[in-house]
Amino acid sequence: MRLVQFVLNAILLLHLVMQVAVADTSAFKMGMTYKEVKALHEQRLQIGQSRAQQLDDFRSIVRVSRYGDRGLERIFNNFDGKHYIDPTIPGVSHSITLIASGSKSQSKGYVRELLYAMAFHNDPRFELVGMNQIVKREWGNTDKDLVVRHKATGLYARIEVKDVSLSSQSSNIEDLKKQINKMAKEGRLTGQSQYWVNRREVHPEIQRYATSKGINVYGNVSTGTSQKNGLMSSKDFMDDVDKSIFKSDRNRSVFGAGQLANGVWMLVESIPNTFEDIQTVLNPETRTTQDWMRLGSNSTSTLAGSALILSGTLRSASRYASEQLQARSYALSNNAGRAAATFIVADEAFLIWRYREGDVSSSEFWTSQWLLSASMTGSYGGALLGRSIGTYIPLPGTGTLGSLIGSFTGSYLGRVIGKTWVDDYYEMKFGTIDKEFGDYVKKQYNVL
């Protein structure tokens, strides 16, 4: 019994000692090197700290850095109020220790990153996901300064924070272009919006090059919340990011809904015909070349519809996924979209082949083309209109729902209107031919 009591008391004493050690921030001393600050900070994190204790360590690290107490108050506002940041967000703790870097430019760069991180973290429109996120790709390793999530749309964005003078941009223009290329590839792969924001003016060539790659470039942007000396404030920058992501979400929503509507229409049209064609070609005694061509046309249409549905579903639903899953869904959606385009081209090739072989009449061929065009135009136009109406309803997801309803409605109306127009056209065309033929017969045989 005494042994058990002794062990319990020892554990309690150890716990109290650890709590005192964690709470004591006096271990951080002026003159400590970056390596010493980092090692001490990591050691204290391993002991176990609350958020409040980690913030106290942040304050101590700033105090012993080149910025001191004055920097803690004037730059970071003591990490209080609108300058609060959650220390458990990945990358934040490491960025804080780098403020104590012996390199002035590196230390200054991380201060700037942290100010942006705090601004996004305290803006209700955004969620700070991480800082200095390492990315390993086949085109080279890189890191994302800031990764934020747009709460209204669920989409993620990457922010690269710079403080590069015009002269440095000119002398390092090729290196900057390489970074921009990596950002562009990352954006195409994951669907994340990419932003390159600089404290100073952006070199015109960098501006043109980045814009051509789909990178959003901002120059003369300050870390303050109000405009000063002609600089764009961080709030104005975040307003632009908010609008830009809404635009990206609108495009995704409209395109995904259009893909879904067209995919469903193609499946409804082609699946019954595909099964019928399979039954026909399975009979070696009756099957013909025309039967194989019809099977090729209807089966590729079925595959195109399936790929469109997969692509549209992933594009529309990925907004509800985590960062990694959203990136994978976006990449798969693009691959499915490319596959759908390939199958549509193959279907068109089979249809042209059948037309040239006389298996499809001129009116059938052109009717199918008109219906395809009318359906696609109606679906994407309806999705855009539905999205616009849905965004006026102040409920989550109404824009996406509006796109879906609008796309299916637009696709149906497009087909109805297209079919009516084609029927009227051919009725008028053949009516004119019949009349001319009748007039010719009457003239030849003197029939009144």
Side-chain angles (χ1 to χ4, degrees):
M1 187 68 180
R2 290 182 178 178
L3 179 61
V4 173
Q5 187 175 5
F6 174 78
V7 172
L8 291 175
N9 289 335
I11 292 173
L12 178 60
L13 179 62
L14 178 61
H15 177 72
L16 291 173
V17 170
M18 290 174 64
Q19 288 298 312
V20 171
V22 167
D24 180 21
T25 59
S26 61
F28 292 98
K29 305 290 185 181
M30 291 295 297
M32 294 179 72
T33 65
Y34 163 69
K35 288 185 177 180
E36 291 171 334
V37 169
K38 180 183 178 183
L40 178 59
H41 181 54
E42 290 176 348
Q43 180 184 358
R44 290 168 64 79
L45 285 174
Q46 290 173 2
I47 294 174
Q49 291 181 308
S50 65
R51 283 184 172 84
Q53 289 170 332
Q54 289 183 59
L55 282 174
D56 282 338
D57 271 11
F58 286 4
R59 296 181 182 105
S60 296
I61 291 171
V62 176
R63 286 192 187 100
V64 301
S65 73
R66 60 172 43 88
Y67 300 99
D69 284 306
R70 185 179 180 185
L72 177 62
E73 291 297 328
R74 296 190 62 179
I75 299 175
F76 296 103
N77 198 33
N78 204 41
F79 295 105
D80 291 328
K82 292 184 178 181
H83 282 70
Y84 169 78
I85 192 166
D86 185 346
T88 63
I89 295 173
V92 169
S93 184
H94 179 61
S95 299
I96 288 289
T97 61
L98 281 162
I99 291 176
S101 170
S103 168
K104 184 177 181 180
S105 61
Q106 185 181 48
S107 174
K108 185 178 178 182
Y110 279 97
V111 168
R112 187 170 178 79
E113 278 186 29
L114 282 161
L115 291 175
Y116 272 103
M118 285 184 265
F120 275 103
H121 181 64
N122 290 285
D123 191 311
R125 298 170 295 183
F126 300 97
E127 173 192 354
L128 178 64
V129 175
M131 296 184 67
N132 301 296
Q133 187 183 92
I134 302 298
V135 180
K136 296 182 179 180
R137 303 293 186 197
E138 60 182 14
W139 53 79
N141 299 339
T142 184
D143 67 281
K144 302 177 182 181
D145 289 350
L146 303 181
V147 177
V148 299
R149 176 179 172 272
H150 190 243
K151 292 180 180 179
T153 63
L155 300 184
Y156 293 84
R158 171 188 184 177
I159 318 292
E160 288 299 310
V161 180
K162 302 293 179 183
D163 187 3
V164 190
S165 66
L166 278 175
S167 60
S168 293
Q169 291 176 57
S170 297
S171 58
N172 295 286
I173 198 162
E174 293 305 318
D175 289 337
L176 290 173
K177 284 183 177 181
K178 288 179 181 178
Q179 183 189 43
I180 288 169
N181 287 335
K182 290 180 180 180
M183 291 177 68
K185 289 177 180 179
E186 185 72 16
R188 288 194 296 270
L189 177 67
T190 65
Q192 287 185 3
S193 298
Q194 308 282 310
Y195 299 88
W196 197 89
V197 53
N198 193 38
R199 170 66 175 75
R200 315 200 193 183
E201 183 181 351
V202 177
H203 193 287
E205 185 173 349
I206 293 294
Q207 180 79 48
R208 286 192 298 269
Y209 188 78
T211 302
S212 71
K213 296 291 183 178
I215 308 300
N216 301 281
V217 180
Y218 292 84
N220 292 323
V221 183
S222 72
T223 52
T225 56
S226 59
Q227 291 184 351
K228 292 181 180 179
N229 302 321
L231 298 177
M232 184 182 194
S233 69
S234 60
K235 183 183 181 305
D236 289 338
F237 167 64
M238 289 189 294
D239 289 343
D240 269 18
V241 173
D242 178 55
K243 293 175 184 176
S244 173
I245 295 179
F246 265 121
K247 183 179 178 180
S248 177
D249 180 61
R250 181 200 65 193
N251 295 339
R252 281 199 198 191
S253 177
V254 169
F255 191 56
Q259 286 180 310
L260 273 170
N262 283 295
V264 169
W265 163 66
M266 294 181 81
L267 283 185
V268 169
E269 290 283 323
S270 63
I271 284 180
N273 294 332
T274 300
F275 280 112
E276 184 178 335
D277 294 334
I278 291 173
Q279 295 298 319
T280 301
V281 299
L282 286 176
N283 188 340
E285 296 180 358
T286 60
R287 66 189 178 205
T288 64
T289 302
Q290 285 75 17
D291 295 330
W292 284 107
M293 288 191 297
R294 280 193 291 272
L295 175 60
S297 179
N298 287 313
S299 60
T300 51
S301 182
T302 299
L303 290 171
S306 301
L308 281 174
I309 290 174
L310 175 61
S311 181
T313 300
L314 290 171
R315 198 174 295 273
S316 300
S318 63
R319 60 183 291 168
Y320 303 106
S322 64
E323 182 189 1
Q324 296 301 321
L325 184 56
Q326 189 174 116
R328 293 192 185 100
S329 298
Y330 183 82
L332 182 56
S333 174
N334 283 340
N335 290 334
R338 284 189 283 267
T342 301
F343 289 131
I344 289 173
V345 171
D347 179 30
E348 287 293 300
F350 275 113
L351 192 60
I352 293 171
W353 185 15
R354 292 173 62 197
Y355 174 56
R356 289 174 62 89
E357 294 295 321
D359 188 50
V360 174
S361 67
S362 175
S363 61
E364 289 175 322
F365 176 80
W366 290 111
T367 296
S368 69
Q369 302 305 296
W370 275 109
L371 289 181
L372 178 64
S373 300
S375 177
M376 287 191 170
T377 302
S379 64
Y380 290 114
L384 183 58
L385 179 61
R387 165 81 184 194
S388 300
I389 295 172
T391 51
Y392 284 105
I393 303 174
L395 291 173
T398 52
T400 301
L401 181 61
S403 293
L404 291 171
I405 294 173
S407 65
F408 280 92
T409 304
S411 178
Y412 173 76
L413 291 176
R415 287 176 55 76
V416 169
I417 294 171
K419 185 69 166 59
T420 301
W421 189 90
V422 169
D423 288 345
D424 289 345
Y425 170 77
Y426 279 111
E427 183 178 349
M428 180 182 66
K429 179 179 179 179
F430 290 123
T432 302
I433 292 174
D434 288 341
K435 183 178 182 304
E436 290 176 352
F437 179 74
D439 291 342
Y440 174 77
V441 171
K442 290 177 182 179
K443 183 178 179 181
Q444 287 294 111
Y445 295 96
N446 295 320
V447 178
L448 297 177

